[in-house]
């Protein structure tokens, strides 16, 4: 996706220079095309939320909707300054957002730690403001946590993955680990894009380096934030 916009956009915009955006959000499709679940709240009782950025959100979303225990997924924009941005605005690099996948999951069926493993192993988190051929701040690696427990698990998994990446010859992890802020749903045509366009572009590619068992991360198992935030 990034190759559609050739200008270098690898420096974060400042809040005062970000695009102004708008007060009205995107219309959100009612149901997930694959999982037949709601894209927007309310979610099924007991569900919890995780937010991940790992490059182009088309392929990233597919990875998570294929993960057992995931109830619903959507794609959107987070970590920036512009309210309710459009895709075209995000692509300019002037909103500060990264492309996110919001993962709604059943903690009785899949743990947050397992979702972290999927996240780390599905992309290269050492590339800064890019992912493969997709270049720009919108493609930066990110974990936006919803509770102190998620933060602890994210940091522990990062440290564990850094060790195995270093042992495999990779550099420092550049993943943004930050509190979850406003999440703006992307346009309807982006939702479950690769289901609707099976031959569409997918820039997702990992390092082939595996993350160890969570019991070795040095953090306790997490109790996670419910979706009724």
């Amino acid at each position: 996706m990034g190759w559609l916009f050739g200008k270098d956009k690898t420096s974060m915009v400042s809040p005062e220079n970000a695009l102004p955006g708008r007060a009205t959000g995107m219309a959100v499709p009612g149901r997930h095309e694959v999982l037949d679940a709601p894209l927007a709240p309310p979610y099924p009782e007991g569900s919890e939320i995780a937010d991940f950025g790992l490059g182009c959100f088309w392929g990233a979303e597919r990875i998570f909707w294929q993960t057992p225990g995931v109830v619903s997924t959507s794609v959107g924009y987070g970590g920036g300054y512009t309210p309710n941005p459009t895709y075209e605005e995000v692509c300019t690099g002037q909103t500060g957002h990264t492309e996110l996948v919001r993962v709604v999951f059943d903690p009785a069926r899949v743990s947050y730690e397992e979702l972290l493993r999927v996240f780390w192993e599905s992309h290269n988190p050492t590339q800064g403001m890019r992912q493969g051929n997709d270049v720009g701040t919108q493609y930066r690696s990110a974990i936006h946590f919803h509770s102190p427990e998620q933060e602890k698990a994210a940091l522990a998994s990062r440290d564990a993955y850094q060790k195995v990446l270093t042992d495999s010859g990779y550099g420092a992890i550049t993943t943004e680990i930050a509190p979850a802020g406003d999440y703006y749903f992307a346009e309807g045509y982006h939702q479950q894009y690769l289901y609707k366009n099976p031959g569409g572009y997918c820039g997702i590619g990992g390092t082939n380096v595996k993350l160890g068992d969570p019991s070795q991360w040095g953090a306790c198992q997490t109790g996670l934030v419910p979706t009724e935030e």
Side-chain angles (χ1 to χ4, degrees):
M1 292 158 62
W3 50 267
L4 294 173
F5 303 87
K7 183 181 176 182
D8 178 45
K9 300 175 291 292
T10 58
S11 297
M12 278 291 288
V13 67
S14 62
E16 59 271 18
N17 289 326
L19 296 174
R22 58 201 48 79
T24 304
M26 297 291 173
V28 181
R31 306 292 292 181
H32 196 285
E33 293 279 351
V34 180
L35 300 175
D36 191 28
L39 265 67
Y43 299 119
E45 184 177 355
S47 300
E48 294 168 357
I49 293 174
D51 290 337
F52 300 112
L54 52 159
C56 171
F57 53 20
W58 293 346
E61 185 187 18
R62 180 170 62 183
I63 288 169
F64 284 105
W65 85 52
Q66 292 176 339
T67 300
V70 169
V71 174
S72 186
T73 60
S74 66
V75 295
Y77 314 114
Y81 309 113
T82 300
N84 299 299
T86 66
Y87 177 65
E88 289 73 20
E89 289 172 339
V90 171
C91 286
T92 69
Q94 299 303 300
T95 73
H97 294 95
T98 189
E99 296 188 10
L100 289 180
V101 179
R102 171 152 287 186
V103 182
V104 181
F105 64 102
D106 179 354
R109 297 176 57 211
V110 63
S111 68
Y112 184 63
E113 288 84 357
E114 173 62 14
L115 297 178
L116 285 168
R117 184 194 64 77
V118 173
F119 165 78
W120 292 117
E121 293 181 0
S122 297
H123 75 303
N124 183 343
T126 71
Q127 294 185 304
M129 299 299 184
R130 66 179 297 164
Q131 195 60 212
N133 292 328
D134 292 327
V135 179
T137 55
Q138 78 193 79
Y139 300 113
R140 67 187 186 271
S141 176
I143 300 170
H144 292 172
F145 56 84
H146 288 262
S147 69
E149 292 78 16
Q150 283 194 359
E151 179 185 18
K152 290 176 183 177
L155 292 171
S157 67
R158 179 200 62 190
D159 294 346
Y161 202 46
Q162 183 66 75
K163 183 179 186 306
V164 292
L165 284 174
T166 299
D167 291 345
S168 299
Y170 285 90
I173 287 173
T174 58
T175 300
E176 171 185 280
I177 299 179
D182 291 326
Y183 172 81
Y184 300 107
F185 285 94
E187 294 84 343
Y189 75 91
H190 288 300
Q191 308 296 337
Q192 297 87 67
Y193 181 87
L194 289 182
Y195 174 77
K196 295 180 281 190
N197 301 274
Y201 172 76
C202 174
I204 294 298
T207 61
N208 293 318
V209 177
K210 302 301 181 183
L211 177 60
D213 186 271
S215 65
Q216 306 301 312
W217 295 357
C220 61
Q221 298 294 298
T222 60
L224 302 173
V225 65
T227 59
E228 293 77 22
E229 298 178 309

